[in-house]
Each structure stands twice: as C-alpha cells, then as structure tokens.
Amino acid sequence: MKHVILIFFCLLFCSCRQGGGKNDLALLHEASLHTAQPDSVMDLLGQIVRPDCLQGKARADYALLYTEALNKQDRIGTNDSLIQIALGYYTEEAPSIPLAKSYFLLGRIYQQQGNDILALKTDLQALATLPPQTQDRTRMLVNFDLGHLYHQQGLYRQALSHYREMQRYVNAHPDTLDCYITAYSMGNIFMLLNQYDSAYHYYQKALPLTRQLKNKSYERYILRQLHLHARLTGNQEQAQWYAEEIRITTDPYFKAELFQELGNTDSASFYFLKATKDPRISARTMAFYNLFQLHRKAHPDLACVYVDSFHSYKDSLYALRQTDKIEKLTAQYLQQIDRQKEEANRRENAIYLWGGIGVTLLLCGIVIFFFIQHKKRRYLLLEKQLVTNQLAAIKEYVAEQNRQKSEEWEAVRQEIAAIEMQTLIGQFQQTAWQKRIHAIQKGNGKPFSKKEQEAFQKETLALFDEPVKRLQVEYPQITEADLLFCLLSFMDYPTSLIASCTGRKENALRTCKHRLKEKLSKEIFGFFFHFTNNQQDTE
C-alpha cells in the first residue's frame, strides 16, 4: 500500500512537467534569438503545447517573449497578468535586462490603460534596474517612453534629457528607424522650447529618413513643422517652398490649411469639402468647422449648414472619446476582475492542495496505524503461541514427574494452591465486603440484604475465579452457593457469620457441609474445612 501511494505521488508530480521537457526549452531558446521578428516568435511559442506547466525561468521567459512580441505587433492590450509573471520571477534576481524589459512592457500596458503617471513610475524603475554601462536597445526604448510621457505632461526639459540619452544610443548603434524617431522627437521638443535652430537641424535630419522609409504620414508632419518653423522665423520664401512640398501630398485637409494660410479661399474651400469625406471623424469635424469660418460672412445660409454638421461631428467625436474612456475603464475593470479571479483560483487551488496533502497524510497515517496494529497482533499471537508451547511443555514435564513421584508432586500442588488462595484472600480483604463482614462480626453492622447477598456472591466468586473453575470442572454437581460456603470457610469465618452474609440458616449450612464431605474428595474437603472452628462445627 505504501509503495502504491509513493507511485501515485510521483505520477502526480510528473504530470505537470510533461510539457516542460527539452523540446519546450529549445523552442524558448530559439524564440529568444528571433525577437526582431515578432511573427516568428509567436509561431515558435505557439508550438509549446502546455505553457501553463512551465516552471521557474522557462515560465518567466515565455511570458516576457510573448508580451514583447505583442508589443511589436501593436497588440499589447491592457491586461498585465502575463507580464506580472515575468516581473515576479526576475524581481527575485539581480538587476538585469529581462527585468528592465518586464518593467518597460508593463509601462506600455499602463499607457494603453491611460494611466500615464503609473507608466512613468514603471519606466523609471526599468531604467533603474538596467545594469550600469549597458548599451542595450531596451535603454533607448525606455528613454523614448519617458521622453514621450514627460512631453505629454508638459515637462519639456526632462523630456529633452531622455531624448538626448536616446541620441547617445543612436550614435553608438546607427539604425535608420531609431535615428528617425530620435530626430523628430527632439525637433518637437526644441520647437516647444522656442529653440528654432536646433529644431530645424533635427527636422532636417528626420526628413530624409522618413522618405527613405516611405512613411508619408510622418513626412507630411515634418514638412508642416518645417513650414511652421519658416513662418515663425520670418522666412517667407522657405515657407512658400515647404507649402508647395505639402501641396504635392494627397492629404486634402493639409492642402486646404495651406491654401487658407495663403488666403486662397476658393481652393481652401474645395479641399475642405474633400476633407469632409475623410474616414477620420476628427478630420471631418475640423473640415466643417473651417468651412463655417470661411463662409460665415459671405454665405450665412451655407455657414449654418456647415456649423450644424460641425456640431453633429463634434458630438460624435465627443461620444467616441467617451466610448474610448468607457472601453478603457471597462478594460481596467475586467483586468481587476481577472486579477480577483486569479487570486480566488490561487486560494482555491491552495485549499485543494493542502486539503489533498492533509487527506493523503491522514490516509498514510491510517495505513501506518493499521500496519503497526497488524504487526502488534502478529507479535502477540506469536508470543501467545510461545507461552502456550512453554506451558504445554511444563505441563508435560509436570505430568511425567507426577507419574514418577506422585506423592511429592501432590504436596507441591497443594502448597501452590494454598499460596494462590492466600493471595486471593489478601485481595478479598482489601474490598468493601471485608469491612462489612468485620462490622457484622463486631456487632456494629446489619446482615446483608437479598440484593447485597447476590452481589457479594457474584463478586466473591469472580475474585476466586481460577479455584472456582477448577472445582466446577472436577465437581460439576457443586452449586455456586456451596462454592461460596467453601471459600468463606477457608477464610476461617464462623458459621453464624457466614449465615449473616449469605442469608442461609446455620443448620442448613451444617447440612451442606456434611453433603460436601460426601461429594468432595478427602483432600479437597480437608483443604477448605481444616480449621479448628470448622472442625468443631462438624463435630
């Protein structure tokens, strides 16, 4: 039974490790080599059959790689339960790049939740946990997020310091995408700080990179920033040139704004009307607003139509923003519910685990208890058998000696019986019945009642059980009352006292004595009635 329980626990322990073998570890290692290709990482991680059975570092690596791939695919979402697994494991170790990545990804999730303050604190923790002098791209990404968050909070100096840290990484590791991000980010900050020369320098660095990447959206954005820069610095020719560059683009709203700035109302109105068909609600709203501003004096009736459309789209835009807020709050609420469910599941699993361990220990204890009892019973049986065999050997020896020396052994048996009777008499004298008999003998007590006589007879015969059984076996016709009479006579009690204890008359006791003399052997009768007072009664 004990071996069966051990085998059961081994199988139970190994069942959750079937998915964590060598193949899973190899897949994790291969996925860590392809972090630049998130699709490949997701494909490799998807080949792990039981990721929930991974343990320790393998489990943390899986959570980190999966969340990192989601971030690169812009699908990171608002649920932080997976990255918290990696964070919980790496926190127990020394500061390292995986720990910094975990904090960085958690900050990205907080940004998706709309909690910029918490995201800022998390990114600062990520920066603090990076090993010193580490030139890893994680440091650049963390600095970018910190600069972006400080920018949104209006803390431009702090944002600029983190963008400069990005620039150091870019200088050490020339990468087109990183250079482009750093350049236009620093240009935006210098524009806000009214440092136009620095802003122009970084915008000029970002513009060819956006064209190299064929990112039309950011190309238009940088051209507009350069156009704004030229207007603010009073360089009209350069502003006109950038306006022509923007005009070449296909975005009607940008073209309309340029024509409006140049005072070309007809062209601006034409492109604003085209912008009202833009799929973006914000572009439509602003297009109707600008149309209202253009025509409110010259064409009031048309302006009323535009202003009504503007209010409709403005309400839709407001409702959309409210919907976004509701979705974020709902996502946070669902995330909190998921955390509570996970905590409840952990508590429930802990209860089941400890309950299972308790039941198993109880079963093991019961099995061990019965095993010990079985061994005890076996030892007792063996000991009893041994004693029985010894007694049989002694009886055989005594019988053999009895046949050879019957007279000597008869004297020995009588002596042993006398010693046994004296021992039982000593026990009888310690009972309450002896005190009652002594009180009756002195004249201070009353004779036994009928119930007391029955109890006295029963308890006395039970005390002298061995001699009584031997007499009953040898003389089956003898009664319990006669046996009690023999025992009391052996203890040297007079006939009158025996009559008070047993409820029998003295004449009846004398008659009983004569009858016992005929029934019992001479030796047995002499054993019980050999005292002087009994002899006098007999005479």
Side-chain angles (χ1 to χ4, degrees):
M1 183 66 181
K2 180 169 67 175
H3 297 293
V4 173
I5 294 173
L6 290 174
I7 292 170
F8 171 74
F9 272 105
C10 290
L11 291 175
L12 183 65
F13 177 75
C14 294
S15 63
C16 282
R17 298 185 61 88
Q18 292 177 356
K22 183 178 179 181
N23 293 334
D24 291 348
L25 296 177
L27 288 170
L28 284 172
H29 178 69
E30 188 175 355
S32 65
L33 301 176
H34 295 83
T35 53
Q37 294 85 28
D39 294 336
S40 300
V41 173
M42 296 297 282
D43 181 62
L44 290 168
L45 295 180
Q47 296 179 33
I48 298 177
V49 181
R50 292 294 303 276
D52 55 322
C53 285
L54 295 173
Q55 300 293 329
K57 186 177 184 301
R59 189 165 181 246
D61 290 345
Y62 177 88
L64 179 61
L65 289 170
Y66 194 91
T67 310
E68 189 176 13
L70 288 176
N71 178 54
K72 291 182 178 180
Q73 292 176 338
D74 293 328
R75 298 190 299 117
I76 193 167
T78 58
N79 192 336
D80 65 342
S81 57
L82 191 62
I83 197 61
Q84 289 288 359
I85 296 173
L87 193 62
Y89 176 81
Y90 295 125
T91 304
E92 298 177 358
E93 299 183 346
S96 59
I97 292 175
L99 178 59
K101 283 185 178 180
S102 300
Y103 276 120
F104 164 70
L105 293 172
L106 183 60
R108 283 287 174 93
I109 292 173
Y110 286 147
Q111 289 185 54
Q112 292 294 319
Q113 295 174 1
N115 195 342
D116 291 345
I117 301 300
L118 195 56
L120 189 64
K121 292 180 180 179
T122 308
D123 284 329
L124 289 173
Q125 285 180 310
L127 202 61
T129 53
L130 275 169
Q133 307 300 325
T134 299
Q135 292 298 326
D136 188 80
R137 192 166 185 268
T138 306
R139 185 183 296 276
M140 190 276 295
L141 293 174
V142 173
N143 279 311
F144 172 74
D145 275 14
L146 286 169
H148 174 70
L149 291 169
Y150 279 126
H151 185 178
Q152 288 185 328
Q153 298 294 323
L155 304 172
Y156 303 129
R157 297 289 181 184
Q158 290 85 339
L160 183 61
S161 66
H162 287 288
Y163 287 145
R164 288 176 193 257
E165 291 293 327
M166 287 178 60
Q167 186 65 43
R168 292 177 186 173
Y169 174 83
V170 168
N171 294 335
H173 302 83
D175 182 87
T176 303
L177 182 60
D178 294 337
C179 292
Y180 151 68
I181 293 172
T182 307
Y184 87 80
S185 299
M186 294 187 70
N188 290 337
I189 295 297
F190 281 121
M191 281 288 286
L192 292 170
L193 294 173
N194 298 326
Q195 298 181 20
Y196 298 123
D197 292 340
S198 298
Y200 181 77
H201 169 73
Y202 284 106
Y203 282 140
Q204 285 294 337
K205 285 181 64 176
L207 185 59
L209 296 175
T210 57
R211 289 173 174 169
Q212 184 179 347
L213 293 170
K214 297 181 181 180
N215 192 331
K216 296 296 183 182
S217 176
Y218 277 101
E219 181 184 356
R220 290 193 297 268
Y221 172 76
I222 294 173
L223 286 172
R224 290 194 63 194
Q225 292 297 100
L226 288 169
H227 176 261
L228 178 62
H229 173 272
R231 291 180 57 196
L232 291 174
T233 55
N235 193 337
Q236 297 300 326
E237 293 181 3
Q238 197 175 42
Q240 186 68 28
W241 186 81
Y242 285 123
E244 291 296 329
E245 288 285 325
I246 297 172
R247 196 174 298 133
I248 298 172
T249 63
T250 58
D251 192 333
Y253 186 80
F254 287 152
K255 289 183 178 181
E257 283 188 329
L258 287 173
F259 282 118
Q260 186 179 18
E261 291 174 0
L262 296 173
N264 192 338
T265 306
D266 295 336
S267 298
S269 178
F270 172 77
Y271 283 109
F272 277 132
L273 283 172
K274 290 187 67 175
T276 57
K277 299 179 182 180
D278 195 290
R280 297 170 297 176
I281 295 179
S282 58
R284 292 185 188 184
T285 305
M286 295 308 298
F288 279 116
Y289 176 76
N290 285 290
L291 285 170
F292 161 70
Q293 294 291 339
L294 287 173
H295 297 288
R296 65 176 180 174
K297 293 182 178 180
H299 304 89
D301 297 337
L302 192 58
C304 290
V305 176
Y306 291 145
V307 76
D308 290 339
S309 299
F310 164 70
H311 285 299
S312 298
Y313 279 104
K314 184 184 71 171
D315 294 338
S316 300
L317 184 62
Y318 176 76
L320 184 62
R321 289 176 179 175
Q322 291 297 110
T323 304
D324 291 339
K325 289 182 180 180
I326 292 171
E327 288 179 354
K328 287 183 179 180
L329 291 174
T330 304
Q332 292 176 4
Y333 173 74
L334 293 175
Q335 183 179 2
Q336 187 176 3
I337 292 296
D338 291 340
R339 288 180 181 176
Q340 292 176 354
K341 287 182 179 179
E342 289 176 1
E343 185 65 27
N345 290 334
R346 281 196 292 270
R347 288 197 296 268
E348 186 177 358
N349 292 336
I351 291 171
Y352 287 146
L353 176 62
W354 288 109
I357 292 173
V359 171
T360 305
L361 291 176
L362 179 62
L363 292 175
C364 292
I366 293 172
V367 170
I368 293 171
F369 173 76
F370 281 112
F371 178 73
I372 293 172
Q373 292 298 319
H374 174 71
K375 289 186 69 175
K376 284 183 178 179
R377 283 196 296 269
R378 185 180 177 186
Y379 290 148
L380 288 173
L381 289 174
L382 291 174
E383 187 176 357
K384 183 177 180 181
Q385 186 65 34
L386 180 62
V387 171
T388 304
N389 294 337
Q390 289 176 349
L391 288 174
I394 292 171
K395 287 179 181 179
E396 186 178 355
Y397 174 76
V398 170
E400 181 65 25
Q401 293 295 325
N402 188 23
R403 286 192 296 270
Q404 295 177 3
K405 302 177 181 179
S406 59
E407 294 180 358
E408 294 180 6
W409 279 103
E410 185 63 28
V412 171
R413 281 199 303 273
Q414 289 182 1
E415 185 178 352
I416 292 172
I419 293 171
E420 181 183 7
M421 288 297 292
Q422 290 298 329
T423 303
L424 294 175
I425 289 171
Q427 295 177 5
F428 176 79
Q429 290 176 351
Q430 300 297 323
T431 63
W433 297 113
Q434 171 62 25
K435 295 180 181 179
R436 291 287 307 278
I437 293 171
H438 186 68
I440 294 171
Q441 192 173 12
K442 285 187 175 182
N444 299 329
K446 296 180 180 180
F448 291 173
S449 64
K450 190 173 182 180
K451 289 184 178 180
E452 290 176 336
Q453 291 168 8
E454 294 176 356
F456 174 66
Q457 178 177 315
K458 183 178 179 181
E459 293 180 12
T460 304
L461 293 178
L463 179 63
F464 292 88
D465 184 57
E466 291 295 330
V468 167
K469 285 183 178 178
R470 287 198 296 268
L471 282 173
Q472 286 178 336
V473 171
E474 191 172 355
Y475 304 100
Q477 71 275 16
I478 193 169
T479 63
E480 292 185 351
D482 294 340
L483 290 169
L484 181 62
F485 177 51
C486 292
L487 293 172
L488 295 175
S489 298
F490 181 80
M491 287 186 281
D492 199 19
Y493 289 127
T495 305
S496 59
L497 184 59
I498 295 173
S500 300
C501 295
T502 60
R504 301 171 71 179
K505 295 182 180 180
E506 293 185 25
N507 292 331
L509 291 175
R510 291 189 182 95
T511 303
C512 178
K513 185 174 180 181
H514 286 289
R515 190 174 64 253
L516 289 172
K517 187 175 182 180
E518 295 175 356
K519 290 182 180 179
L520 302 176
S521 64
K522 183 177 180 181
E523 292 80 7
I524 298 297
F525 183 81
F527 180 77
F528 285 105
F529 299 98
H530 67 281
F531 297 103
T532 305
N533 58 345
N534 290 336
Q535 292 174 356
Q536 292 173 356
D537 291 338
T538 303
E539 293 172 357

